[in-house]
Amino acid sequence: MKTTRGKKILGGRYKIVREIARGGFGITYLAEDTQASNSPCVIKKLDPQNADIETAKILFKREANALFHLLQQNQQIPKYFDYFEEEESYYLVQEYIEGKSLQNLLDNKWPRDRVITFIREILEILRYLHRINIIHRDVKPSNIMLRKEDSKFVLIDFGAVKQLDPRYPSPQQQLYTTQTMIGTPGYAPREQLAGKPGYNSDIYGLGMTAIQLLTGIHPKHLRRDIQDQIIWSDEFNVDHLLASILTKMVDSNPDERYQYVDEIFRDLEQITVVNEHINYNDFTTNTEIESSQLSEFTARPYESGSLFKLWYLLIALGAAGIILIVIELINPFIRPLYYLHQGDTFLNLRQPEKANNEFQKVTDIQPYSAEGWRGRGDALLSSGRLLGALGYYEKALNIQPNYIKALNNKGKVLSKLGRYQEALDAHEKVLRQNENDVDAWSGKGVAYFGLGKKKEAKDAFEKMKQIRPDIPYAWQEIGFAIEIVEGPNAAKPYFEEALGAFEAFLKQHPQDPIAWTDQGFILQKLIRPQDALVSYQKALDVDKNFYEALIGKGNILSGENPQEALLAFNRASEIRPDAYQPWYGRGVLLTQRFQKHEEALQSLDKAIAKKNDFSPAWLSKGIALSELKRYNEALAALDKAKELQPKDKYVWANRGDVLQSLGKKAEAQESYNKAVELGFPRDQLPKN
């Protein structure tokens, strides 16, 4: 460590100005970056008092990597600039926030509207953090700044050891949560102080902070009734709806508390806020606006009789007319935002048809909306319509050439189409903009695998793992892609990575039917059908009509319990009558297990009508027609399957059987030979 005029220099560039704080995890300094015009920054030194230093080092380095990337993307969290080791100590460097701590703004009670605005801003930050599996665990006034630059609230005091990484088993997490208490009494709920924090532990801290701003009472002095609920005194002047929201935020029972921030946003939408703007300068002298001023202003028109009432009514009607005109004028700008939100919501719910309808509304109103075309591409990609998706991504990129999401998804489509060099180029373009983009590294690895460059592929996957080890969907996509190129054995390690990430994710999100369903699919890939069935059932316990779980359940039960499988496919077809999968599954069952070939053909024809290029449906149709001795029709169906999937050994084998039945022995033998060439067992073919 160097010194300059008596001041320490860390990492060869950071000059320590003074110590800011000291706690159980280490020391925080104010410093100057000598390589950036002496700009101020904050340095946190990891110095765990009650933890194994080697384990601390591993977690600190891994999470520093993640935080450096992830926390750059939210403007109300201090940016992480650097990580380094020096003299067996470990340091994080982050942005310095100029402003005022809420701890210093508690002298006066805040008005209701200002508190609601504060809650909404911090909820947005928490929503971002929770989506990337980070729990702050110390939300309180001293860890929230009012930034001077833009009057925005900033959540501070992030240490790497405070990220909850679900991939690590509880004993390692316990190292930090039970041996060293994390959280501040009064602001931290009981389960957090007991070492078992959840996402709603942060909600509790925010609720307590908001109550203190509103009432001026420290959490330790709040009164609770025998059910341990907050007692709201009349002197607080808090309306019933806000009081009920805050009460639920700080419920001592985590099961009764809000589970996710989106639930709070929904309830807050019912509250009208007169003035949401917060001005930094408002806090220089007095933090409370006299609410009586507003009530006096609105009361005066009524004090001088009916004339004032008439004028007030005319003004109100005029204002309403102006509002309606403004709404009509801005409607074309607001509606696309709503449709985009709806489209992304349907995508998240795995309803691509509905999503595509919403995104199409966007492009109808705004033909030059890159987001609208990207959304339409995502919907088609989700439906397996690759060429259509590629066309829409091209449209989005013609409008916005550096659109990262469109570039990454274009790369995914190109890899699925076997155009690996083009896919690689798309992902490289993303990485030139953001070298830590997880999707780009994942896609780059898949493209390298397709190009036969296994070392480069594994290096790309390792880079992805360093940045975000806990994204199950990324590992799932990698597994699918490698399975196509290299086969199931090569894909197995990546499916196992996906499974580990899903298991960890579901511990934190046990009510997520999509994750349970995807985990079931991964278990099927790992040839664990009974475990997969359990996972699908977990999804259906959350949502009995969850379409993809019904399909998965039907596929698993087709062998051992065909009647239950048929019920699952029937229900899935009722939920999504326009989807091809349930009709296909139903058709296969009817012909293979129930010998109801005519009924099977009806189902298979419906599947083909909905997805004409789905080779397995044509194969199953050929088998059903063959069972009915309609050999010419069967051959036509199998030839279509062969055209769509020329490397399917089962198509060639069944085609040989049909040709044999038609008396075309030479052609049948050619078809059998092709089946054997593709891996079909010769001893399972008819003998000449």
Side-chain angles (χ1 to χ4, degrees):
M1 182 187 300
K2 300 178 182 178
T3 59
T4 302
R5 296 181 181 178
K7 292 189 176 181
K8 296 179 180 178
I9 299 290
L10 293 173
R13 64 185 292 180
Y14 302 107
K15 182 167 64 177
I16 299 299
V17 176
R18 59 183 170 87
E19 182 179 314
I20 298 175
R22 183 180 291 260
F25 286 111
I27 308 168
T28 304
Y29 300 101
L30 176 65
E32 294 175 350
D33 186 349
T34 60
Q35 295 182 21
S37 304
N38 292 322
S39 59
C41 57
V42 171
I43 294 181
K44 301 194 75 173
K45 176 184 178 183
L46 177 67
D47 186 19
Q49 301 300 309
N50 300 301
D52 172 68
I53 194 65
E54 286 305 313
T55 302
K57 178 181 176 181
I58 292 169
L59 291 174
F60 194 69
K61 288 177 69 175
R62 177 177 54 80
E63 295 181 1
N65 242 333
L67 289 170
F68 180 79
H69 167 59
L70 295 167
L71 300 185
Q72 305 290 346
Q73 300 176 13
N74 189 294
Q75 297 302 312
Q76 289 173 261
I77 296 171
K79 290 182 173 63
Y80 276 70
F81 292 147
D82 198 2
Y83 163 81
F84 61 92
E85 301 176 20
E86 187 170 280
E87 297 180 0
E88 298 185 355
S89 293
Y90 318 105
Y91 299 89
L92 279 177
V93 184
Q94 66 184 62
E95 177 187 12
Y96 168 71
I97 304 297
E98 182 181 5
K100 300 173 182 178
S101 165
L102 250 63
Q103 187 65 41
N104 299 323
L105 302 176
L106 296 172
D107 293 342
N108 296 308
K109 290 183 287 186
W110 288 26
R112 163 192 178 274
D113 289 359
R114 183 179 287 173
V115 171
I116 293 171
T117 300
F118 161 77
I119 293 171
R120 284 176 173 160
E121 279 200 35
I122 303 301
L123 283 174
E124 287 286 3
I125 301 171
L126 293 180
R127 175 156 61 184
Y128 169 77
L129 293 174
H130 293 175
R131 283 177 176 172
I132 56 177
N133 297 320
I134 294 176
I135 302 177
H136 188 277
R137 290 190 280 180
D138 205 12
V139 179
K140 60 182 179 180
S142 60
N143 283 340
I144 298 171
M145 300 284 293
L146 180 65
R147 186 162 52 199
K148 183 177 182 180
E149 176 187 359
D150 57 6
S151 298
K152 293 287 187 183
F153 293 106
V154 180
L155 186 59
I156 64 170
D157 190 18
F158 282 84
V161 289
K162 294 186 181 181
Q163 182 186 14
L164 182 63
D165 187 332
R167 283 179 60 84
Y168 274 74
S170 56
Q172 289 182 338
Q173 293 173 356
Q174 292 285 314
L175 181 66
Y176 294 102
T177 57
T178 58
Q179 295 183 12
T180 303
M181 183 186 73
I182 290 182
T184 303
Y187 301 97
R190 295 171 187 169
E191 77 276 2
Q192 179 178 324
L193 296 178
K196 298 178 181 179
Y199 294 105
N200 64 356
S201 302
D202 284 347
I203 290 173
Y204 184 97
L206 173 58
M208 280 300 184
T209 301
I211 290 171
Q212 186 173 3
L213 294 172
L214 195 65
T215 66
I217 298 175
H218 190 280
K220 292 188 295 186
H221 305 305
L222 280 175
R223 295 168 55 212
R224 291 181 180 261
D225 59 23
I226 56 174
Q227 278 82 38
D228 209 21
Q229 300 292 307
I230 298 294
I231 297 174
W232 292 96
S233 170
D234 292 340
E235 66 187 82
F236 294 155
N237 194 26
V238 181
D239 60 81
H240 175 73
L241 185 52
L242 178 57
S244 66
I245 291 172
L246 290 170
T247 299
K248 189 172 181 180
M249 289 176 73
V250 299
D251 198 302
S252 56
N253 182 350
D255 294 332
E256 298 298 324
R257 196 181 310 145
Y258 286 108
Q259 299 300 303
Y260 304 105
V261 296
D262 286 340
E263 298 171 11
I264 310 173
F265 274 120
R266 282 195 292 270
D267 286 350
L268 284 173
E269 286 175 1
Q270 302 175 52
I271 298 180
T272 302
V273 177
V274 177
N275 181 11
E276 293 192 66
H277 180 67
I278 290 180
N279 191 328
Y280 181 86
N281 295 322
D282 290 345
F283 292 88
T284 53
T285 54
N286 185 5
T287 62
E288 184 174 22
I289 299 172
E290 294 291 345
S291 59
S292 60
Q293 292 177 357
L294 181 61
S295 61
E296 288 171 6
F297 177 81
T298 55
R300 283 193 194 106
Y302 295 92
E303 293 172 359
S304 299
S306 59
L307 183 60
F308 282 103
K309 291 180 183 179
L310 178 60
W311 275 106
Y312 184 79
L313 179 61
L314 291 172
I315 291 170
L317 290 171
I322 292 170
I323 289 170
L324 288 172
I325 292 169
V326 170
I327 288 173
E328 188 58 34
L329 287 172
I330 66 174
N331 195 31
F333 302 98
I334 290 178
R335 278 187 295 147
L337 295 176
Y338 172 74
Y339 295 142
L340 283 171
H341 171 74
Q342 288 293 95
D344 285 326
T345 299
F346 284 130
L347 278 178
N348 291 334
L349 293 173
R350 305 290 176 83
Q351 298 182 35
E353 299 88 357
K354 290 183 178 179
N356 193 36
N357 289 338
E358 296 299 315
F359 289 124
Q360 185 172 349
K361 292 174 186 176
V362 177
T363 56
D364 287 345
I365 298 170
Q366 295 180 343
Y368 295 102
S369 169
E371 286 188 305
W373 292 112
R374 181 275 307 165
R376 294 184 71 176
D378 290 352
L380 293 189
L381 174 58
S382 182
S383 302
R385 296 159 63 185
L386 301 181
L387 292 175
L390 183 60
Y392 286 145
Y393 291 137
E394 292 289 4
K395 286 194 173 188
L397 291 167
N398 285 337
I399 298 165
Q400 191 175 325
N402 293 320
Y403 190 176
I404 283 179
K405 189 167 184 180
L407 281 167
N408 273 329
N409 287 353
K410 175 186 174 182
K412 287 181 185 178
V413 171
L414 289 167
S415 283
K416 288 177 183 291
L417 292 170
R419 295 159 60 179
Y420 297 111
Q421 185 58 54
E422 294 173 75
L424 185 62
D425 294 342
H427 295 305
E428 288 282 15
K429 189 170 182 179
V430 172
L431 291 170
R432 285 194 291 272
Q433 299 178 66
N434 180 358
E435 64 180 2
N436 288 314
D437 189 284
V438 174
D439 287 335
W441 283 110
S442 168
K444 186 176 177 180
V446 170
Y448 273 135
F449 239 106
L451 292 168
K453 299 180 178 181
K454 295 183 181 179
K455 181 184 181 304
E456 290 87 346
K458 289 177 180 177
D459 288 345
F461 296 148
E462 185 58 35
K463 178 67 175 178
M464 187 198 86
K465 193 171 184 177
Q466 290 173 8
I467 299 170
R468 279 298 302 273
D470 59 339
I471 304 180
Y473 299 99
W475 294 112
Q476 178 178 288
E477 286 286 334
I478 291 167
F480 294 156
I482 291 175
E483 184 179 39
I484 293 170
V485 178
E486 295 268 317
N489 287 336
K492 185 178 178 182
Y494 302 99
F495 286 135
E496 287 173 343
E497 285 277 2
L499 180 61
F502 272 122
E503 288 171 346
F505 179 84
L506 284 163
K507 287 179 182 177
Q508 301 298 324
H509 305 276
Q511 299 299 306
D512 189 330
I514 294 174
W516 281 116
T517 302
D518 285 345
Q519 179 180 261
F521 193 55
I522 293 299
L523 286 163
Q524 278 188 265
K525 290 289 186 182
L526 294 170
I527 317 177
R528 293 168 56 181
Q530 292 308 311
D531 292 335
L533 185 59
V534 170
S535 200
Y536 290 135
Q537 191 56 54
K538 289 272 191 182
L540 293 168
D541 290 342
V542 177
D543 181 353
K544 66 180 181 180
N545 293 322
F546 194 70
Y547 167 81
E548 291 188 350
L550 287 166
I551 295 294
K553 181 179 179 180
N555 288 333
I556 292 287
L557 291 175
S558 291
E560 60 187 59
N561 193 336
Q563 190 61 51
E564 282 293 318
L566 188 61
L567 290 174
F569 287 134
N570 286 344
R571 182 62 188 137
S573 68
E574 291 170 6
I575 294 167
R576 288 199 201 169
D578 293 329
Y580 71 92
Q581 295 99 328
W583 297 109
Y584 166 70
R586 191 173 181 277
V588 171
L589 269 179
L590 288 168
T591 195
Q592 293 185 1
R593 303 290 288 176
F594 294 98
Q595 307 301 308
K596 296 181 178 180
H597 306 302
E598 290 288 358
E599 193 178 342
L601 283 173
Q602 293 175 18
S603 279
L604 292 168
D605 280 339
K606 285 186 177 181
I608 289 168
K610 297 171 192 315
K611 189 170 176 59
N612 187 259
D613 60 351
F614 187 52
S615 171
W618 286 104
L619 169 60
S620 295
K621 180 177 180 178
I623 293 171
L625 288 165
S626 177
E627 292 290 338
L628 292 168
K629 303 187 185 309
R630 293 159 59 179
Y631 297 120
N632 286 316
E633 293 174 77
L635 183 60
L638 290 168
D639 280 344
K640 180 65 176 179
K642 175 173 67 76
E643 176 190 329
L644 293 168
Q645 190 55 266
K647 294 184 179 181
D648 188 331
K649 57 189 176 185
Y650 299 104
V651 171
W652 289 100
N654 281 281
R655 186 173 179 273
D657 290 343
V658 170
L659 287 165
Q660 188 94 327
S661 298
L662 287 169
K664 300 180 179 181
K665 294 185 178 180
E667 292 180 58
Q669 190 57 50
E670 288 179 9
S671 205
Y672 287 144
N673 290 341
K674 185 66 176 178
V676 171
E677 180 187 323
L678 292 169
F680 195 89
R682 186 177 291 277
D683 60 3
Q684 293 183 23
L685 293 172
K687 294 181 180 179
N688 292 332

